[in-house]
């Protein structure tokens, strides 16, 4: 078991040597992730774990992969996507140009889901989807638009529950155990690394999605990131969070109006 | 004497359960005498991932404030908290909750082990962990951690559980403090309440 003070040492190393700052991540969850990695990689002692961390620059990839949680799915929480379809997207339709930011996009399932919604609304051609994550490995996967075929049954059900009317399987071609999503969906996507802890706002958006990322941050870092979003949302733009995340603790809350009890807020001032 | 010590010490009670646990809670909750001097945290394995009716069902059975946890909610004494479906429920040193959607543990999310272990870290000897009915091995490792950190661990009497496997595992593989049927459990939880 890695204890609290040892966690601090690891975080310090990660920052000093590699520039990754995890100090304001939610500690209980982070400590579990570090312990999990320590057990999975069968280190005989904390000292050896730390030595590997410091002396093997390739191991950092594995550490980032191990400490972050990249679980995601297409049309995750279908009812959320239903509101996107019914309320959010129609209100953006008259814009000459639609900019969307997926912050913490993981392997891209959320971005491809959004592209499908925009496509079906006839808006994809004038949209840009910026998809960012701190982990370059997941972005590499996201860019390919290839997801395991075993997931397609679930995704297709989610899609239908979200109000999808088409044949979901028309959006991909099966290649052995993989489903490759059609190129036209990816044409309007831009993938880039962006660390919410240390990087700045880089554009103004009509919709920012940051789902199931803030749960991994402590309250202080959540507030910083929400301020970053606040700086990056245009007038009447939207902010969408994960199903158990909230603006309630934030000073930016008065500037926003919640839509339909869903975790979607619209900027009103 | 021992009882008084328990009363002042207990800051949180975590109840974990799987198949057959809801009916235990439906009996236990109405029998608790408010206000509670500790936070009551409930973690259940659930089938339906988008099911929010569970908290409504439990709310019908108690006058205590009860809610499904959202990220960074405070874990306050006097309140009942239910782990949401599809997230692990962890507790931070500042006595508030964090959610985590990482891999399932023991085929489960929320996992009882995850919450037991994290609560043990925060509450140490001021924690009581209770394991109810279920057909899964989840919870036993977590109870062991609670015990190691000085807390008290309790299992439902397997003969009274709809699925006896889970409490049975705990009895076999932990130095369990008490094994109770539902009535005994109710008396015990009320005895932890310093406000009662
Ligand atoms: C659980 S996934 C969420 C994926 C998707 N948004 C969803 O809800 O399904 C969390 C993602 O946040 C990313 N992440 C964690 N810390 C981050 C940071 N500081 N900056 C940017 N992304 C981060 C992780 O790499 C991971 O891919």
């Amino acid at each position: 078991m890695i204890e609290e003070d040892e966690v601090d040492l690891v975080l310090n190393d990660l920052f000093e040597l590699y520039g990754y700052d995890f100090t304001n991540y939610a500690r209980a969850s982070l400590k579990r992730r570090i312990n999990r990695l320590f057990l999975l990689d069968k280190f005989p002692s904390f000292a050896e774990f730390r030595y590997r961390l410091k002396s093997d620059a390739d191991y950092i990839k594995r550490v980032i992969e191990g400490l972050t949680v990249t679980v995601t799915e297409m049309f995750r929480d279908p009812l959320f996507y239903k509101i996107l379809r019914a309320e959010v997207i129609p209100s953006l339709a008259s814009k000459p140009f639609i900019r969307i930011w997926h912050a913490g996009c993981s392997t891209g399932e959320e971005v491809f889901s959004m592209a499908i919604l925009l496509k079906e609304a006839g808006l994809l051609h004038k949209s840009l989807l910026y998809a960012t994550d701190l982990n370059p490995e997941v972005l590499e996967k996201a860019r390919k638009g290839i997801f395991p075929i075993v997931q397609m049954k679930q995704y297709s059900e989610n899609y239908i529950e979200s109000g999808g009317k088409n044949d979901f399987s028309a959006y991909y071609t099966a290649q052995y155990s993989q489903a490759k999503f059609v190129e036209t969906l990816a044409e309007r996507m831009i993938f880039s690394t962006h660390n919410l802890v240390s990087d700045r706002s880089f554009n103004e958006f009509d919709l920012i999605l940051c789902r199931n990322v803030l749960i991994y941050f402590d309250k202080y870092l959540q507030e910083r990131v929400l301020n970053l979003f606040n700086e990056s949302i245009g007038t009447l733009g939207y902010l969408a969070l994960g199903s158990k995340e909230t603006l309630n603790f934030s000073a930016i809350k008065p500037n926003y109006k919640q839509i339909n009890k869903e975790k979607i807020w619209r900027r009103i001032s | 004497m021992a009882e008084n010590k328990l009363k002042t010490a207990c800051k949180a009670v975590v109840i974990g359960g799987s198949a057959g646990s809801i009916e235990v809670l439906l009996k236990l909750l109405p029998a608790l005498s408010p206000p509670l001097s500790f936070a009551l945290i409930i973690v259940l394995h659930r089938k339906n991932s988008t099911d929010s009716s569970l908290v409504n069902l439990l709310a019908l059975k108690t006058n205590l404030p009860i809610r499904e946890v959202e990220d960074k909610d405070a874990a306050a004494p006097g309140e009942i908290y239910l782990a949401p479906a599809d997230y692990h429920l962890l507790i931070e040193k500042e006595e508030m909750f964090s959610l985590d959607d990482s891999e399932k543990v023991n085929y489960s999310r929320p996992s009882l082990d995850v919450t037991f272990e994290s609560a043990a870290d925060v509450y140490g000897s001021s924690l009581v962990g209770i394991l109810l009915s279920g057909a899964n091995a989840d919870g036993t490792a977590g109870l062991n951690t609670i015990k190691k950190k000085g807390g008290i661990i309790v299992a439902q009497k397997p003969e009274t559980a709809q699925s006896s496997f889970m409490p049975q595992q705990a009895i076999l593989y932990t130095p369990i403090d008490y094994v109770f049927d539902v009535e005994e459990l109710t008396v015990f939880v009320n005895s932890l309440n310093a406000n009662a």
Side-chain angles (χ1 to χ4, degrees):
Chain A
M1 242 329 245
I2 292 180
E3 291 303 332
E4 208 63 41
D5 45 340
E6 294 167 334
V7 169
D8 287 330
L9 292 175
V10 171
L11 299 189
N12 220 39
D13 292 344
L14 285 174
F15 184 60
E16 303 253 294
L17 296 167
Y18 304 102
Y20 284 108
D21 184 359
F22 286 98
T23 45
N24 288 102
Y25 277 52
R27 201 43 88 89
S29 164
L30 187 63
K31 188 175 169 192
R32 236 194 105 230
R33 301 304 291 173
I34 294 176
N35 270 296
R36 182 173 169 277
L37 184 69
F38 177 75
L39 288 176
L40 278 178
D41 290 354
K42 302 196 168 64
F43 287 101
S45 68
F46 175 69
E48 288 186 54
F49 176 52
R50 201 165 166 219
Y51 179 76
R52 179 81 187 272
L53 197 68
K54 291 170 97 160
S55 61
D56 180 357
D58 287 336
Y59 188 60
I60 184 69
K61 272 193 197 171
R62 164 97 184 140
V63 174
I64 297 304
E65 201 184 279
L67 297 201
T68 54
V69 172
T70 57
V71 172
T72 186
E73 59 183 70
M74 289 188 81
F75 297 97
R76 183 180 195 172
D77 310 315
L79 298 183
F80 165 81
Y81 282 89
K82 200 167 190 159
I83 304 286
L84 284 186
R85 264 185 211 280
E87 304 220 5
V88 176
I89 290 178
S91 83
L92 300 176
S94 62
K95 294 201 163 247
F97 199 68
I98 302 169
R99 282 196 186 84
I100 298 176
W101 178 15
H102 295 265
C105 67
S106 188
T107 38
E109 284 81 342
E110 184 184 276
V111 196
F112 278 83
S113 307
M114 179 63 81
I116 289 174
L117 295 192
L118 291 165
K119 179 104 191 143
E120 293 183 356
L123 299 172
L124 186 58
H125 66 282
K126 62 167 180 176
S127 304
L128 262 189
L129 293 90
Y130 293 81
T132 65
D133 203 284
L134 107 162
N135 181 350
E137 306 286 312
V138 292
L139 291 173
E140 207 41 60
K141 288 191 185 156
R143 237 174 235 127
K144 297 201 172 97
I146 297 176
F147 307 119
I149 200 114
V150 291
Q151 307 280 12
M152 292 306 133
K153 185 170 173 290
Q154 175 71 49
Y155 293 174
S156 164
E157 286 167 14
N158 287 359
Y159 165 79
I160 291 165
E161 211 187 317
S162 80
K165 302 263 186 302
N166 294 353
D167 173 9
F168 185 69
S169 65
Y171 288 115
Y172 61 85
T173 47
Q175 304 177 339
Y176 304 100
S177 61
Q178 308 282 17
K180 164 118 183 75
F181 278 71
V182 294
E183 296 283 348
T184 46
L185 290 174
E187 270 165 15
R188 311 297 298 162
M189 298 175 188
I190 297 170
F191 293 95
S192 166
T193 55
H194 181 280
N195 188 336
L196 290 165
V197 177
S198 48
D199 292 331
R200 296 166 164 272
S201 167
F202 57 95
N203 214 326
E204 194 172 281
F205 299 95
D206 303 300
L207 166 61
I208 298 178
L209 294 96
C210 184
R211 309 191 70 220
N212 301 300
V213 181
L214 293 180
I215 47 175
Y216 296 102
F217 298 169
D218 70 10
K219 271 190 168 172
Y220 164 83
L221 183 55
Q222 289 186 348
E223 184 63 9
R224 271 206 32 201
V225 172
L226 288 171
N227 276 300
L228 172 73
F229 294 153
N230 193 43
E231 286 165 24
S232 316
I233 293 182
T235 27
L236 297 177
Y238 295 89
L239 174 61
L241 303 180
S243 66
K244 298 298 163 195
E245 294 163 336
T246 179
L247 272 196
N248 286 343
F249 304 123
S250 174
I252 72 165
K253 189 189 175 190
N255 305 346
Y256 291 81
K257 178 172 161 282
Q258 192 168 3
I259 312 280
N260 272 354
K261 292 192 177 158
E262 278 302 323
K263 295 310 178 91
I264 305 176
W265 285 262
R266 185 167 205 188
R267 187 176 193 136
I268 48 171
S269 66
Chain B
M1 273 296 286
E3 202 175 272
N4 278 336
K5 211 175 129 212
L6 274 182
K7 278 192 182 191
T8 43
C10 180
K11 291 178 91 173
V13 174
V14 182
I15 300 182
S18 189
S21 290
I22 293 178
E23 38 197 87
V24 177
L25 291 169
L26 293 179
K27 285 192 196 138
L28 175 71
L29 295 187
L32 297 182
S33 14
L36 299 180
S37 58
F38 48 80
L40 179 59
I41 302 164
I42 300 173
V43 186
L44 295 177
H45 295 161
R46 320 197 205 171
K47 288 195 196 81
N48 189 344
S49 62
T50 52
D51 186 10
S52 63
S53 56
L54 181 57
V55 70
N56 298 332
L57 176 68
L58 297 178
L60 289 175
K61 294 288 176 184
T62 177
N63 296 322
L64 291 159
I66 177 166
R67 54 149 126 205
E68 203 172 82
V69 174
E70 292 213 330
D71 184 52
K72 303 300 178 296
D73 275 345
E79 309 226 1
I80 306 180
Y81 300 95
L82 179 66
D86 252 345
Y87 290 85
H88 293 304
L89 180 70
L90 298 113
I91 297 141
E92 299 288 342
K93 287 270 181 297
E94 299 82 0
E95 298 187 10
M96 64 185 177
F97 296 102
S98 275
L99 298 173
D100 166 325
D101 65 354
S102 60
E103 304 79 2
K104 291 183 177 181
V105 174
N106 303 316
Y107 311 100
S108 310
R109 190 175 54 220
S111 142
L112 315 183
D113 279 343
V114 169
T115 305
F116 282 153
E117 282 163 11
S118 155
D121 237 11
V122 171
Y123 295 108
S125 62
S126 316
L127 177 67
V128 174
I130 301 173
L131 191 64
L132 303 179
S133 169
N136 175 304
D138 197 14
T140 293
L143 288 184
N144 267 320
T145 308
I146 294 178
K147 190 69 193 171
K148 247 181 252 147
K149 303 248 170 170
I152 293 172
I153 57 177
V154 181
Q156 182 178 358
K157 204 175 269 176
E159 309 89 271
T160 70
Q162 190 186 303
S163 294
S164 58
F165 184 79
M166 206 160 77
Q168 196 79 67
Q169 291 294 300
I171 293 163
L172 281 173
Y173 299 113
T174 75
I176 200 91
D177 291 299
Y178 304 104
V179 178
F180 288 145
D181 65 24
V182 181
E183 264 99 282
E184 291 165 331
L185 186 64
T186 308
V187 173
F188 173 75
V189 176
N190 275 323
S191 79
L192 299 169
N193 187 358
N195 295 335

